[in-house]
Amino acid sequence: METQRSRGTVRTCDWTEHKAPRTATMTRLRRKALVALFLFTLFIFGTMMGLRTLKPSDGFSDMAPGMDFTGERSDRRRLDVKDVAVSPGQFHMGSSDTKVVFTKSDRDYSIFYDVHIFYYLWYGSPSMDNKYIHWDHVLVPHWDPKIAASHAQGKHTPPEDIASSFYPELGPYSSKDPKVLESHMAQIEAAAAGVLVLSWYPPGVADDHGEPMEDLVPAVMDAAHRHSIKVAFHIQPYKGRTDQSMHDNIKYITDKYGKHGAFYRFRSSTGQVLPLFYVYDSYLTPPESWAELLTAKGSHSIRGTPYDGIFVALIVEERHKHDILASGFDGMYTYFASNGFSFGSSHQNWKAIKAFCDANNLLFIPSVGPGYVDTAVRPWNNHNTRNRVNGRYYETSLQAALSVRPEIVTVTSFNQWHEGTQIEKAVPKKTVTRLYLDYQPNQPDHYLELTRQWAENFNKEKDKWLM
């Protein structure tokens, strides 16, 4: 104890002896700190004043993937404010070259051109089309007569009974309605999805339950452009689709829409800037036929021509990845929003698919969705239903996609109401014969908000990957 007290005394004496010089040293350090802080403050003030002198378009480029125009070089170009028809505001490029950030009404928001969303243009209503189209979809019978006999048959009878398990806020609308198109683009913009992937059939051709709709595409392009949204094409498996007819389709789309401000082009890893096309049910055409179109030595190859593009095939089964490679496609996507429905749509397989794509210089574009329920059109298919769980299913899908570090992610879907994959606004609805699902306890825009939150997170993560 005495030793400890002695040591304590020694320490006290040492501190007292050196107190004056230490105080002087601390005073000098404080002065230096104050000077440094003053200089730093001047620097920040000067920088801010300098930035305020920049014009609204300074530092802004629209060279997100898919935002070049025909004939442009791969170097970036500035975006004139007139190129984006948005209400008055300032525009500048974000930290990622895949997004545009808008400042409007003192609020920043972004849209991201690496978030693509599938969009359907096949709906009709009596006010615009003299009848309901697709909302009255038939109940598709099962291929096994015994199973089919145990389920309801016939057609839906709108407006109270529609071919969906959810009910749209806009009601059973027409895709021709300009007000509907404007609402849709505003919702997609709110969701921060920069590319609308339009389900497309050639002129005069339609799906089995709809009518030709190619003449509506210009209105979609114009509406999208007003919201700075780009449009890519999702080529459907119409009757008679071949590699040769696809050549004609690509030429038609590029010639007709290629110069439109909303036409989407993607910058590849090699620096090429080309239109991007999704090809649904690509496996229906054999690889050797696709190779005639999509490889350099094909008999009617589009490679190296004005009609070249980035072509993305659908992977359903595991073997399809080898077929896709042999066909000459540039990448693959999974489309289906039902985890476990197919090899391609199963989250657990995405890491292996991404590794295969990386090894073969292919794009892997996983597709995510908020849920899946198609029993309003396929009453026997309830085993593939995936409940939304108030958004948790969607968040799980989004996280699975992010974990494989994709270049692009697709959302299935904005408005595929038949399969219950829509993120479009839906409302509660009860009739004498139907009780529709809804987004409660959340608001009608819940899935738009979730999409935006995730898109912002996706791009923050991509910035980290590139560091």
Side-chain angles (χ1 to χ4, degrees):
M1 291 295 288
E2 288 181 5
T3 304
Q4 289 176 354
R5 280 197 298 270
S6 299
R7 287 177 180 171
T9 304
V10 170
R11 282 199 293 270
T12 303
C13 291
D14 287 347
W15 182 84
T16 304
E17 291 167 5
H18 295 287
K19 181 176 181 181
R22 286 189 181 180
T23 301
T25 301
M26 291 178 69
T27 301
R28 286 197 298 272
L29 288 174
R30 279 198 293 270
R31 285 175 181 169
K32 289 181 179 179
L34 287 170
V35 170
L37 180 61
F38 177 73
L39 292 174
F40 180 74
T41 303
L42 280 179
F43 172 75
I44 293 297
F45 179 77
T47 302
M48 295 301 293
M49 291 302 293
L51 288 173
R52 288 187 64 181
T53 65
L54 294 176
K55 298 191 294 285
S57 60
D58 282 351
F60 182 88
S61 165
D62 70 343
M63 184 58 73
M67 296 191 68
D68 291 81
F69 291 77
T70 305
E72 289 180 353
R73 297 173 63 85
S74 60
D75 51 317
R76 295 184 176 185
R77 71 175 181 88
R78 285 192 180 171
L79 175 71
D80 192 332
V81 172
K82 69 178 184 292
D83 286 349
V84 230
V86 179
S87 49
Q90 293 186 337
F91 308 79
H92 62 277
M93 202 62 186
S95 57
S96 166
D97 73 347
T98 58
K99 71 179 178 181
V100 176
V101 183
F102 301 96
T103 302
K104 186 167 66 175
S105 302
D106 299 321
R107 180 176 64 88
D108 281 353
Y109 68 101
S110 311
I111 55 176
F112 300 94
Y113 296 99
D114 47 12
V115 178
H116 299 188
I117 189 163
F118 294 111
Y119 184 84
Y120 292 86
L121 199 59
W122 54 26
Y123 300 105
S125 67
S127 62
M128 301 292 294
D129 308 274
N130 297 317
K131 60 181 178 180
Y132 285 107
I133 303 172
H134 262 271
W135 300 113
D136 64 346
H137 200 288
V138 299
L139 293 162
V140 180
H142 194 276
W143 53 87
D144 184 334
K146 293 181 180 178
I147 297 175
S150 63
H151 292 283
Q153 299 179 17
K155 293 180 70 172
H156 290 277
T157 54
E160 298 297 291
D161 171 34
I162 66 171
S164 171
S165 295
F166 294 85
Y167 204 86
E169 183 181 71
L170 295 173
Y173 53 76
S174 170
S175 295
K176 288 183 180 178
D177 190 337
K179 292 180 180 179
V180 168
L181 275 181
E182 188 62 27
S183 173
H184 283 178
M185 298 309 145
Q187 289 184 55
I188 292 170
E189 181 185 345
V195 179
L196 178 159
V197 183
L198 180 63
S199 179
W200 186 85
Y201 290 86
V205 181
D207 68 281
D208 292 340
H209 306 284
E211 294 190 356
M213 58 189 178
E214 209 286 324
D215 60 340
L216 304 183
V217 175
V220 175
M221 302 285 284
D222 291 344
H225 192 53
R226 288 193 293 272
H227 291 265
S228 296
I229 295 166
K230 300 296 175 180
V231 178
F233 289 79
H234 193 195
I235 300 176
Q236 296 298 309
Y238 57 85
K239 186 177 181 180
R241 188 183 73 180
T242 65
D243 51 295
Q244 186 62 61
S245 71
M246 276 285 292
H247 185 282
D248 297 338
N249 299 155
I250 299 305
K251 185 176 185 299
Y252 174 88
I253 291 170
T254 306
D255 286 346
K256 186 167 184 179
Y257 304 114
K259 293 182 180 179
H260 195 289
F263 189 70
Y264 177 66
R265 286 183 170 86
F266 175 79
R267 183 199 294 279
S268 71
S269 58
T270 60
Q272 288 182 296
V273 180
L274 298 169
L276 187 148
F277 299 93
Y278 292 89
V279 184
Y280 191 69
D281 280 358
S282 48
Y283 58 84
L284 295 174
T285 300
E288 53 270 23
S289 296
W290 283 127
E292 299 294 344
L293 177 71
L294 299 176
T295 61
K297 295 182 179 180
S299 60
H300 44 271
S301 174
I302 57 170
R303 297 306 188 187
T305 75
Y307 302 107
D308 202 353
I310 306 294
F311 296 90
V312 185
L314 177 67
I315 178 169
V316 180
E317 300 177 17
E318 184 174 11
R319 63 182 176 86
H320 289 160
K321 64 185 183 184
H322 300 286
D323 293 342
I324 289 167
L325 180 63
S327 296
F329 280 99
D330 302 286
M332 57 190 77
Y333 73 115
T334 62
Y335 185 76
F336 301 107
S338 181
N339 181 26
F341 169 70
S342 68
F343 173 83
S345 72
S346 298
H347 303 164
Q348 65 181 15
N349 298 325
W350 286 356
K351 185 177 180 181
I353 299 172
K354 178 65 159 56
F356 177 86
C357 289
D358 287 348
N360 292 283
N361 197 29
L362 298 173
L363 275 173
F364 174 52
I365 305 179
S367 303
V368 300
Y372 187 93
V373 53
D374 67 355
T375 51
V377 292
R378 303 181 188 101
W380 38 267
N381 197 36
N382 57 7
H383 59 284
N384 280 315
T385 295
R386 300 293 182 268
N387 294 319
R388 296 192 174 215
V389 203
N390 294 327
R392 288 198 290 277
Y393 178 85
Y394 196 25
E395 291 171 334
T396 299
S397 300
L398 293 165
Q399 186 56 45
L402 191 147
S403 70
V404 299
R405 298 190 172 189
E407 181 70 23
I408 295 169
V409 171
T410 48
V411 176
T412 306
S413 63
F414 178 75
N415 64 339
Q416 222 297 13
W417 288 92
H418 303 318
E419 296 179 347
T421 62
Q422 80 290 335
I423 66 167
E424 183 182 353
K425 293 180 181 180
V427 292
K429 175 81 171 177
K430 182 179 181 181
T431 71
V432 174
T433 58
R434 298 283 305 270
L435 175 61
Y436 290 90
L437 300 175
D438 56 57
Y439 303 162
Q440 290 188 333
N442 301 294
Q443 297 300 309
D445 65 351
H446 180 56
Y447 292 93
L448 304 176
E449 286 294 320
L450 284 181
T451 305
R452 165 167 291 282
Q453 292 168 17
W454 176 82
E456 291 172 348
N457 186 45
F458 175 44
N459 274 265
K460 287 176 183 175
E461 290 297 316
K462 284 185 75 173
D463 288 342
K464 293 177 184 177
W465 305 339
L466 297 172
M467 288 175 66

